């Protein structure tokens, strides 16, 4: 099975070489190390494949070859429209969309709140890091 991880450009660059999952363990952002690298390493260990993609890069994805799409975190400094469009394309293709919540998104900027409001409305699953976050994310 193939997982597509939606990540910002600098994270996609780190993951562009050999052993991308291991390379992500050296990323400067703790959220990438903990929310992407650790999960992607386990996914690969179980015989699956990871693809790391920045939707703002202008490259398209063959959605027919993706089994699950994961948004591990929306970053306030990325353009939101390509990320929104990627989430919609995942759902339109029948690919399950998983949103990972590690920080409460509705106490962030309007851009972050808007992205999460839209993505959470169409996702198939939400992953959280604690019981308290699960309580906060229940509508």
């Amino acid at each position: 099975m193939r997982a597509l991880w939606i990540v910002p450009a600098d994270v996609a660059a780190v993951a562009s070489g050999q052993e991308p999952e291991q390379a992500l363990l050296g990323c400067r952002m703790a959220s990438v190390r903990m929310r992407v690298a650790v999960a992607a390493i386990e996914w690969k260990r179980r015989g699956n494949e990871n693809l790391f993609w920045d939707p703002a890069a202008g490259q398209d994805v063959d959605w027919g070859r993706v089994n699950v799409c994961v948004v591990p975190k929306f970053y306030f400094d990325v353009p939101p429209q390509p990320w929104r469009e990627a989430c919609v394309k995942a759902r339109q293709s029948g690919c399950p969309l998983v949103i990972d919540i590690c920080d409460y998104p509705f106490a962030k900027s309007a851009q972050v709140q808007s992205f999460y409001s839209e993505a959470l409305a169409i996702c198939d699953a939400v992953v959280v890091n604690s019981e308290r976050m699960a309580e906060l994310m229940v509508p």
Side-chain angles (χ1 to χ4, degrees):
M1 291 188 54
R2 186 173 287 117
L4 177 70
W5 299 81
I6 297 180
V7 296
D10 55 343
V11 176
V14 170
S16 65
Q18 296 284 17
E19 300 296 323
E21 298 84 2
Q22 291 297 321
L24 288 171
L25 285 175
C27 186
R28 65 178 174 78
M29 291 180 278
S31 60
V32 171
R33 295 189 305 271
M34 296 302 297
R35 308 306 284 188
V36 182
V38 171
I41 286 168
E42 182 61 19
W43 180 255
K44 184 176 180 180
R45 187 188 71 74
R46 292 176 180 248
N48 300 298
E49 182 181 354
N50 294 297
L51 303 170
F52 303 96
W53 177 58
D54 170 21
Q59 300 169 340
D60 205 5
V61 167
D62 181 354
W63 290 102
R65 298 187 65 218
V66 175
N67 302 99
V68 63
C69 179
V70 182
V71 179
K73 183 175 183 175
F74 176 74
Y75 297 82
F76 68 91
D77 57 348
V78 300
Q81 194 57 32
W83 285 56
R84 285 187 190 103
E85 290 171 3
C87 291
V88 169
K89 286 180 184 177
R91 293 302 300 129
Q92 288 174 341
S93 73
C95 178
L97 176 63
V98 178
I99 306 294
D100 185 359
I101 305 288
C102 61
D103 295 322
Y104 185 67
F106 299 108
K108 306 287 182 183
S109 71
Q111 178 172 293
V112 171
Q113 290 181 41
S114 175
F115 171 79
Y116 279 104
S117 291
E118 293 176 33
L120 289 168
I122 65 170
C123 73
D124 295 285
V126 177
V127 178
V128 297
N129 57 3
S130 68
E131 285 185 39
R132 179 62 182 139
M133 186 61 72
E135 292 169 0
L136 291 170
M137 295 311 300
V138 173

